[in-house]
Amino acid sequence: MILTLNQLETACPYTHYKRLELILPNLNETLERYKIDTPLRVSHFLAQVFVESNYLRIIQEPGIGLDYEGSIELGNTQPGDGRRYIGRGYLQLRGRKQYKEYKKTSKVDVLMYPHYVTTPKVAMDVAGWIWGTKSLNILADQNDLEGITKILTGAYIMLREREDALNKVKKAIGLN
């Protein structure tokens, strides 16, 4: 499934048209690469991306990452890793461990140059990669918003907002 600019603009009304125009080719490439290729999969993927990125307007989490300093779970084993590997991307890549895994798969050296994750192309690819590594197409095929949210966030964070976003996307692409 290929999204049109009109569909993206309808689904994402809070974001400037020029930003959407810039993001759309990267989005369509990501949808194809990670087999997010049905209207239901696209709807669930975009709903999560929209909520996590404030409708494609935030590409790096606020703060300086001190909370992640020394986090063994995130693989932050060296001084400065918390700040260096702060959450970035439309679905956030977080911690040395995830940056290293993404680098291995993508061949983009985000370990040495973590700021690459804030570029539109890599930010969207990271979202698709996270989606794919968590096998979320399976839950999207089941229309399981709660299950997807739990896997992505570890809880049922902002479920109402995710449901609203999901309904906007479904309507924009003709599912409702």
Side-chain angles (χ1 to χ4, degrees), residues 44-115:
H44 279 278
F45 175 75
L46 283 178
Q48 297 293 332
V49 165
F50 288 169
V51 171
E52 291 295 317
S53 67
N54 192 17
Y55 285 83
L56 303 171
R57 293 179 292 191
I58 296 175
I59 206 162
Q60 178 173 309
E61 69 182 333
I64 57 173
L66 294 179
D67 294 346
Y68 305 136
E69 194 63 32
S71 169
I72 300 303
E73 179 183 342
L74 295 174
N76 291 342
T77 57
Q78 298 179 24
D81 279 356
R83 179 172 295 155
R84 190 173 301 114
Y85 303 115
I86 194 166
R88 293 182 180 95
Y90 293 121
L91 294 179
Q92 304 222 327
L93 198 61
R94 186 177 290 119
R96 176 182 281 276
K97 180 180 173 186
Q98 260 195 336
Y99 275 73
K100 188 176 183 178
E101 290 169 1
Y102 178 74
K103 176 190 173 190
K104 184 178 178 181
T105 303
S106 70
K107 309 294 187 240
V108 177
D109 194 354
V110 297
L111 207 54
M112 178 67 81
Y113 305 103
H115 65 279

